[in-house]
Amino acid sequence: MNKATRKAIIAGNWKMNKTRPEAKALLEELKGMVADIKTVEIVACVPFTNLETALAATEGTNIKIGAENCHFEKSGAFTGEISADMLAEMGVEYVVLGHSERRQYFAETDETVNKRTKAALAAGLKPIVCVGELLWERECNITEEVIARQIKLDFFGISADDLKKCVIAYEPVWAIGTGKTATADQAEEVCAFIRAQLAKLYGAEVAEAITIQYGGSMNAANAAELVSKTNVDGGLIGGASLKAADFTTIIKAAENG
Ligand code: 13P
């Protein structure tokens, strides 16, 4: 298996943006623009409040819907939280887990990312698990150590069959929302390292089958070069996913990538 046989996935992470009418308008616009795309999986990960609207707006289309987080318990006294089962029951297909903003602002740890990933898989969701180093860690030359540790911990106890249902997003924290994109070579280097780590843990065949995305200031102008790299199988896009035309350009770049 190689890049040509792996699933290219372009996912938008809307973060805390869009009211329901705004969400509907964006998806209606996007729907028409990407209707003829067949070789790229298109995903919109939206705030919980937009899920029902998003699912209705994209029904019968080639746009899949994801959430931006889920809790690891099945139910119970966890005020303000949403379980994986609640998402699956709605028809949600993907869920972003371990995003650096969750790690940074909401005390998310590798242990809870691991628990959330297991809960999402048990509910039948496809987790998009985010890993990435801080600027300070890159400057100290420990990017590979940081990533290796995250991969080991976030996927601890997850079988090869379950791993194949996961997507990994390499998001260098210093590149998120900063306009500072990793160069295509930097993205390739770490995505290849992630695949090598997976090969050590799960064997080469499993590692070769996993979709690894790049995320961090990916936009209409730089997407083509990033997704042309051997180990970059798509993108997790924040800001540029909020504009239908820009998001479509990125999707089209992945079609040719
Ligand atoms: P930006 O594309 O806005 O940098 O965000 C990237 C990201 O965090 C996607 O999850």
Side-chain angles (χ1 to χ4, degrees):
M1 192 174 275
N2 58 32
K3 187 177 171 84
T5 49
R6 279 195 293 272
K7 196 192 280 181
I9 305 176
I10 296 291
N13 172 11
W14 288 10
K15 309 192 179 183
M16 196 172 72
N17 291 294
K18 304 289 175 189
T19 61
R20 287 181 303 163
E22 289 166 353
K24 187 169 172 0
L26 174 55
L27 289 167
E28 291 297 342
E29 196 185 356
L30 181 67
K31 202 152 96 166
M33 291 179 166
V34 301
D36 58 342
I37 304 278
K38 292 193 177 65
T39 57
V40 177
E41 177 109 320
I42 305 166
V43 186
C45 298
V46 306
F48 293 130
T49 48
N50 287 338
L51 285 170
E52 196 149 25
T53 304
L55 286 163
T58 56
E59 198 177 347
T61 73
N62 57 348
I63 303 172
K64 308 287 171 59
I65 298 302
E68 297 177 14
N69 191 20
C70 72
H71 197 260
F72 44 82
E73 294 294 345
K74 279 186 92 62
S75 62
F78 300 99
T79 303
E81 292 297 315
I82 303 287
S83 76
D85 286 344
M86 290 172 182
L87 299 175
E89 185 279 329
M90 295 182 79
V92 170
E93 207 171 312
Y94 286 87
V95 61
V96 176
L97 295 173
H99 192 279
S100 65
E101 286 149 17
R102 303 285 327 162
R103 294 178 190 254
Q104 197 175 346
Y105 305 130
F106 303 99
E108 190 80 65
T109 64
D110 288 308
E111 186 183 1
T112 57
V113 175
N114 177 250
K115 286 164 92 171
R116 287 173 211 270
T117 305
K118 286 175 176 163
L121 287 163
L125 298 171
K126 296 173 186 160
I128 301 176
V129 179
C130 304
V131 297
E133 80 286 3
L134 306 171
L135 181 58
W136 168 240
E137 292 166 334
R138 176 165 282 266
E139 285 171 352
C140 290
N141 232 349
I142 60 164
T143 298
E144 293 194 346
E145 280 156 74
V146 171
I147 301 288
R149 182 187 155 90
Q150 288 174 335
I151 295 289
K152 261 193 194 154
L153 297 180
D154 295 354
F155 294 103
F156 180 75
I158 289 172
S159 70
D161 276 352
D162 273 345
L163 185 82
K164 285 185 186 167
K165 296 169 196 154
C166 297
V167 176
I168 298 176
Y170 167 54
E171 299 209 319
V173 180
W174 48 271
I176 296 176
T178 57
K180 238 188 186 182
T181 321
T183 64
D185 287 340
Q186 283 172 326
E188 168 64 14
E189 194 179 13
V190 181
C191 289
F193 177 77
I194 291 170
R195 205 177 300 287
Q197 290 305 109
L198 295 175
K200 272 195 206 160
L201 298 169
Y202 291 94
E205 194 199 330
V206 175
E208 280 299 314
I210 305 294
T211 296
I212 303 177
Q213 301 172 312
Y214 168 78
S217 299
M218 198 190 242
N219 58 39
N222 61 26
E225 197 190 349
L226 287 160
V227 298
S228 73
K229 293 292 176 181
T230 313
N231 285 287
V232 181
D233 306 313
L236 183 57
I237 294 104
S241 74
L242 300 172
K243 294 179 199 135
D246 287 4
F247 195 49
T248 302
T249 303
I250 296 170
I251 293 163
K252 291 196 168 153
E255 247 199 330
N256 304 318

Short mmCIF file of all heavy atoms in Angstrom, two decimals, residues 117-144:
data_model
loop_
_atom_site.label_atom_id
_atom_site.label_comp_id
_atom_site.label_asym_id
_atom_site.label_seq_id
_atom_site.Cartn_x
_atom_site.Cartn_y
_atom_site.Cartn_z
N THR A 117 -10.29 8.20 22.77
CA THR A 117 -10.14 7.46 21.51
C THR A 117 -10.80 6.09 21.63
O THR A 117 -11.53 5.65 20.73
CB THR A 117 -8.64 7.33 21.14
OG1 THR A 117 -8.07 8.64 21.11
CG2 THR A 117 -8.45 6.67 19.79
N LYS A 118 -10.56 5.43 22.76
CA LYS A 118 -11.18 4.11 22.98
C LYS A 118 -12.71 4.22 23.02
O LYS A 118 -13.41 3.38 22.45
CB LYS A 118 -10.66 3.49 24.27
CG LYS A 118 -9.22 2.99 24.13
CD LYS A 118 -8.69 2.50 25.47
CE LYS A 118 -7.29 1.92 25.29
NZ LYS A 118 -6.58 1.80 26.56
N ALA A 119 -13.21 5.26 23.68
CA ALA A 119 -14.67 5.44 23.77
C ALA A 119 -15.27 5.71 22.39
O ALA A 119 -16.32 5.19 22.03
CB ALA A 119 -14.99 6.60 24.73
N ALA A 120 -14.58 6.54 21.62
CA ALA A 120 -15.08 6.87 20.27
C ALA A 120 -15.11 5.61 19.40
O ALA A 120 -16.10 5.36 18.70
CB ALA A 120 -14.18 7.94 19.64
N LEU A 121 -14.05 4.82 19.46
CA LEU A 121 -14.00 3.59 18.66
C LEU A 121 -15.10 2.62 19.10
O LEU A 121 -15.75 2.00 18.25
CB LEU A 121 -12.62 2.93 18.81
CG LEU A 121 -11.48 3.64 18.07
CD1 LEU A 121 -10.13 3.18 18.59
CD2 LEU A 121 -11.60 3.41 16.56
N ALA A 122 -15.32 2.53 20.40
CA ALA A 122 -16.35 1.61 20.91
C ALA A 122 -17.73 2.03 20.41
O ALA A 122 -18.61 1.19 20.21
CB ALA A 122 -16.31 1.57 22.43
N ALA A 123 -17.91 3.32 20.19
CA ALA A 123 -19.21 3.83 19.72
C ALA A 123 -19.33 3.75 18.20
O ALA A 123 -20.38 4.07 17.63
CB ALA A 123 -19.41 5.27 20.19
N GLY A 124 -18.25 3.38 17.54
CA GLY A 124 -18.28 3.28 16.08
C GLY A 124 -17.91 4.57 15.36
O GLY A 124 -18.12 4.69 14.15
N LEU A 125 -17.34 5.53 16.11
CA LEU A 125 -16.89 6.78 15.48
C LEU A 125 -15.47 6.61 14.93
O LEU A 125 -14.73 5.72 15.37
CB LEU A 125 -16.89 7.92 16.51
CG LEU A 125 -18.22 8.28 17.14
CD1 LEU A 125 -18.00 9.27 18.29
CD2 LEU A 125 -19.17 8.89 16.10
N LYS A 126 -15.11 7.46 13.99
CA LYS A 126 -13.74 7.46 13.47
C LYS A 126 -12.99 8.63 14.11
O LYS A 126 -13.26 9.79 13.79
CB LYS A 126 -13.75 7.63 11.95
CG LYS A 126 -14.43 6.47 11.23
CD LYS A 126 -14.56 6.76 9.75
CE LYS A 126 -15.37 5.67 9.06
NZ LYS A 126 -15.92 6.09 7.78
N PRO A 127 -12.04 8.33 15.01
CA PRO A 127 -11.32 9.42 15.66
C PRO A 127 -10.27 10.06 14.75
O PRO A 127 -9.59 9.36 14.00
CB PRO A 127 -10.61 8.72 16.84
CG PRO A 127 -11.18 7.34 16.92
CD PRO A 127 -11.69 7.01 15.55
N ILE A 128 -10.19 11.37 14.81
CA ILE A 128 -9.07 12.11 14.19
C ILE A 128 -8.21 12.57 15.36
O ILE A 128 -8.57 13.51 16.08
CB ILE A 128 -9.56 13.32 13.36
CG1 ILE A 128 -10.51 12.87 12.25
CG2 ILE A 128 -8.36 14.10 12.79
CD1 ILE A 128 -11.12 14.03 11.44
N VAL A 129 -7.13 11.86 15.62
CA VAL A 129 -6.33 12.11 16.81
C VAL A 129 -5.18 13.07 16.46
O VAL A 129 -4.39 12.81 15.56
CB VAL A 129 -5.77 10.79 17.39
CG1 VAL A 129 -4.91 11.05 18.62
CG2 VAL A 129 -6.92 9.84 17.73
N CYS A 130 -5.12 14.18 17.20
CA CYS A 130 -4.12 15.22 16.89
C CYS A 130 -2.88 15.07 17.77
O CYS A 130 -3.00 14.89 18.98
CB CYS A 130 -4.71 16.60 17.15
SG CYS A 130 -6.23 16.92 16.26
N VAL A 131 -1.74 15.17 17.13
CA VAL A 131 -0.47 15.20 17.85
C VAL A 131 0.35 16.37 17.30
O VAL A 131 0.09 16.84 16.19
CB VAL A 131 0.33 13.88 17.68
CG1 VAL A 131 -0.43 12.70 18.28
CG2 VAL A 131 0.66 13.61 16.21
N GLY A 132 1.32 16.81 18.07
CA GLY A 132 2.15 17.91 17.57
C GLY A 132 2.99 18.51 18.68
O GLY A 132 2.61 18.46 19.85
N GLU A 133 4.11 19.09 18.29
CA GLU A 133 5.04 19.64 19.28
C GLU A 133 4.84 21.14 19.44
O GLU A 133 4.39 21.82 18.53
CB GLU A 133 6.50 19.34 18.85
CG GLU A 133 7.09 20.26 17.78
CD GLU A 133 6.56 20.02 16.38
OE1 GLU A 133 5.67 19.16 16.20
OE2 GLU A 133 7.02 20.71 15.43
N LEU A 134 5.23 21.64 20.61
CA LEU A 134 5.24 23.08 20.86
C LEU A 134 6.48 23.68 20.18
O LEU A 134 7.45 22.97 19.91
CB LEU A 134 5.33 23.37 22.37
CG LEU A 134 4.28 22.73 23.27
CD1 LEU A 134 4.65 22.94 24.74
CD2 LEU A 134 2.90 23.33 22.99
N LEU A 135 6.47 24.99 19.98
CA LEU A 135 7.62 25.66 19.37
C LEU A 135 8.90 25.41 20.21
O LEU A 135 9.96 25.08 19.69
CB LEU A 135 7.36 27.17 19.25
CG LEU A 135 8.48 27.98 18.62
CD1 LEU A 135 8.82 27.48 17.22
CD2 LEU A 135 8.12 29.46 18.57
N TRP A 136 8.73 25.53 21.52
CA TRP A 136 9.85 25.34 22.44
C TRP A 136 10.45 23.93 22.29
O TRP A 136 11.67 23.75 22.30
CB TRP A 136 9.34 25.59 23.86
CG TRP A 136 10.24 25.18 24.99
CD1 TRP A 136 9.94 24.28 25.97
CD2 TRP A 136 11.55 25.67 25.28
NE1 TRP A 136 10.99 24.17 26.85
CE2 TRP A 136 12.00 25.02 26.46
CE3 TRP A 136 12.40 26.60 24.67
CZ2 TRP A 136 13.24 25.24 27.04
CZ3 TRP A 136 13.66 26.81 25.25
CH2 TRP A 136 14.07 26.15 26.40
N GLU A 137 9.57 22.95 22.11
CA GLU A 137 10.04 21.57 21.97
C GLU A 137 10.79 21.40 20.64
O GLU A 137 11.82 20.73 20.57
CB GLU A 137 8.85 20.60 22.06
CG GLU A 137 8.26 20.58 23.47
CD GLU A 137 6.91 19.92 23.60
OE1 GLU A 137 6.14 19.88 22.59
OE2 GLU A 137 6.58 19.46 24.70
N ARG A 138 10.30 22.04 19.58
CA ARG A 138 11.01 21.98 18.29
C ARG A 138 12.38 22.65 18.43
O ARG A 138 13.39 22.13 17.97
CB ARG A 138 10.18 22.63 17.18
CG ARG A 138 10.91 22.68 15.83
CD ARG A 138 9.99 23.00 14.67
NE ARG A 138 9.21 21.84 14.25
CZ ARG A 138 9.56 21.00 13.27
NH1 ARG A 138 10.69 21.18 12.61
NH2 ARG A 138 8.80 19.98 12.95
N GLU A 139 12.39 23.80 19.10
CA GLU A 139 13.66 24.52 19.25
C GLU A 139 14.68 23.72 20.08
O GLU A 139 15.88 23.83 19.87
CB GLU A 139 13.41 25.89 19.90
CG GLU A 139 12.79 26.87 18.90
CD GLU A 139 12.33 28.18 19.54
OE1 GLU A 139 12.34 28.30 20.78
OE2 GLU A 139 11.95 29.09 18.78
N CYS A 140 14.15 22.92 21.00
CA CYS A 140 15.04 22.09 21.82
C CYS A 140 15.37 20.77 21.12
O CYS A 140 15.99 19.88 21.73
CB CYS A 140 14.40 21.80 23.17
SG CYS A 140 14.30 23.23 24.22
N ASN A 141 14.90 20.64 19.88
CA ASN A 141 15.25 19.45 19.10
C ASN A 141 14.67 18.16 19.65
O ASN A 141 15.31 17.11 19.56
CB ASN A 141 16.77 19.34 19.04
CG ASN A 141 17.22 19.18 17.62
OD1 ASN A 141 16.39 18.96 16.73
ND2 ASN A 141 18.51 19.28 17.39
N ILE A 142 13.47 18.24 20.26
CA ILE A 142 12.89 17.00 20.79
C ILE A 142 11.55 16.68 20.10
O ILE A 142 10.73 15.95 20.67
CB ILE A 142 12.72 17.03 22.33
CG1 ILE A 142 11.80 18.19 22.77
CG2 ILE A 142 14.07 17.11 23.03
CD1 ILE A 142 11.29 18.04 24.19
N THR A 143 11.33 17.23 18.89
CA THR A 143 10.07 16.97 18.18
C THR A 143 9.78 15.48 18.09
O THR A 143 8.67 15.04 18.41
CB THR A 143 10.14 17.59 16.76
OG1 THR A 143 10.31 18.99 16.90
CG2 THR A 143 8.87 17.31 15.98
N GLU A 144 10.77 14.70 17.69
CA GLU A 144 10.52 13.26 17.50
C GLU A 144 10.19 12.57 18.82
O GLU A 144 9.30 11.72 18.87
CB GLU A 144 11.71 12.60 16.79
CG GLU A 144 11.84 13.11 15.36
CD GLU A 144 12.76 12.27 14.49
OE1 GLU A 144 13.52 11.44 15.02
OE2 GLU A 144 12.71 12.46 13.25
#
